[in-house]
């Protein structure tokens, strides 16, 4: 029996590589979908490619014009990434306008055009930096849009959205990934890694990752950028 297909939004970060492993473990054949949108932490795409290739998954990387995104430190190098801040529920300057909406819209088009009925994404409503597009309300609203705005949805074949991490904290996510054999050394969470791919250790994402591994009771195996699989 052929495994059902699933689009997996794969940034190359800790959450998304865990979701890739979850999708495969649940019997899906993942198609990894990544995006180059001019992000300063573009090293994450090398991690995404390594993770997809390591399980034999097809990968598609799409380019989104970075001119869409103003006022975000993840794209505009003239805006400083906040360091060592006390993370709260305020929307930080690292928020990228409508990023998950755009990513899911592309995933929805790809899924419908290829006859794939499932989309996996790694949004998380607990250990995150206050982004509005990581909340359950966002996921529910987009699921409604997917039912209303696609032929599949109108004809009763609504594409299902899966967010298996949405109610987990970082420690729980890491523990889940380790059980599934995720190679976290080949993931990138930092918002402003060095030229060698090593994390700054001070941005919100680095703080959340460090706390997650500490609470999970394991060392973070993060090294530099992943080697080529070829």
């Amino acid at each position: 029996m052929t495994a059902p297909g699933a689009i997996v939004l794969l940034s190359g970060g800790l959450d998304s590589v865990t979701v890739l492993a979850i999708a495969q473990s649940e019997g899906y054949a993942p198609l990894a979908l990544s995006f180059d949108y001019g992000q300063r932490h573009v090293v994450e795409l090398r991690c995404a490619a390594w993770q997809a290739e390591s399980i034999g998954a097809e990968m598609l990387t799409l380019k989104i014009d970075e001119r869409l995104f103003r006022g975000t430190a993840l794209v505009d190098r003239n805006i400083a990434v906040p360091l060592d801040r006390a993370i709260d529920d305020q929307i930080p300057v690292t928020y990228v306008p409508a990023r998950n909406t755009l990513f899911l819209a592309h995933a929805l088009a790809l899924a419908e055009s290829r006859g794939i009925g499932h989309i996996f994404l790694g949004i998380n409503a607990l250990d995150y930096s206050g982004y509005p597009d990581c909340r359950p309300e966002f996921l529910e609203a987009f699921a409604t849009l997917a039912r209303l705005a696609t032929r599949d949805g109108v004809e009763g074949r609504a594409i299902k959205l899966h967010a298996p991490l949405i109610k987990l904290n970082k420690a729980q996510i890491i523990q889940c990934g380790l059980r599934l054999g995720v190679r976290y050394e080949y993931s990138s969470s930092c918002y402003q890694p060095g030229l060698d791919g090593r994390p700054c250790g001070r941005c919100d994402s680095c703080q959340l990752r460090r706390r997650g591994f500490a609470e999970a009771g394991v060392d973070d195996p993060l090294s530099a950028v992943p080697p080529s699989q070829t």
Side-chain angles (χ1 to χ4, degrees):
M1 184 177 179
T2 303
I7 308 296
V8 178
L9 293 180
L10 183 66
S11 69
L14 185 151
D15 293 343
S16 73
V17 302
T18 305
V19 169
L20 180 69
I22 290 173
Q24 186 185 48
S25 73
E26 292 182 356
Y28 293 94
L31 191 169
L33 179 60
S34 299
F35 296 90
D36 178 354
Y37 56 97
Q39 64 268 47
R40 66 199 303 164
H41 52 306
V42 71
V43 65
E44 68 180 0
L45 294 181
R46 290 180 61 180
C47 293
W50 190 94
Q51 295 285 347
E53 190 172 351
S54 71
I55 66 168
E58 179 184 355
M59 181 173 177
L60 179 62
T61 301
L62 301 181
K63 175 68 176 177
I64 296 179
D65 196 321
E66 64 188 77
R67 291 174 296 180
L68 287 175
F69 307 118
R70 292 189 176 184
T72 171
L74 293 196
V75 177
D76 188 342
R77 273 67 170 177
N78 294 315
I79 301 175
V81 172
L83 303 177
D84 304 317
R85 80 179 185 101
I87 300 173
D88 53 30
D89 59 359
Q90 299 299 307
I91 300 174
V93 73
T94 49
Y95 164 70
V96 180
R99 178 174 59 179
N100 282 342
T101 304
L102 287 168
F103 289 1
L104 274 174
H106 284 78
L108 186 63
L110 181 62
E112 188 172 37
S113 68
R114 293 210 183 184
I116 294 174
H118 302 269
I119 297 172
F120 280 76
L121 67 161
I123 62 173
N124 171 256
L126 296 182
D127 284 341
Y128 75 116
S129 296
Y131 301 145
D133 53 0
C134 288
R135 299 174 300 159
E137 297 92 333
F138 166 75
L139 188 68
E140 293 165 6
F142 198 93
T144 298
L145 180 149
R147 289 193 301 271
L148 296 175
T150 62
R151 181 175 61 188
D152 281 354
V154 170
E155 294 180 351
R157 301 184 305 275
I159 295 167
K160 185 175 181 181
L161 304 182
H162 302 256
L165 310 183
I166 199 159
K167 295 183 179 180
L168 303 183
N169 61 35
K170 274 290 186 287
Q172 291 169 325
I173 292 168
I174 291 165
Q175 289 165 344
C176 173
L178 291 175
R179 288 194 297 270
L180 296 174
V182 172
R183 299 284 300 275
Y184 283 122
E185 64 267 39
Y186 300 139
S187 64
S188 179
S189 301
C190 184
Y191 289 154
Q192 56 169 17
L195 295 178
D196 62 356
R198 293 186 180 278
C200 72
R202 301 173 62 193
C203 66
D204 287 7
S205 191
C206 281
Q207 290 187 61
L208 290 170
R209 179 175 177 130
R210 181 170 59 249
R211 186 176 72 192
F213 273 97
E215 292 178 353
V218 294
D219 293 331
D220 185 350
L222 185 63
S223 59
V225 297
S228 172
Q229 289 278 76
T230 58

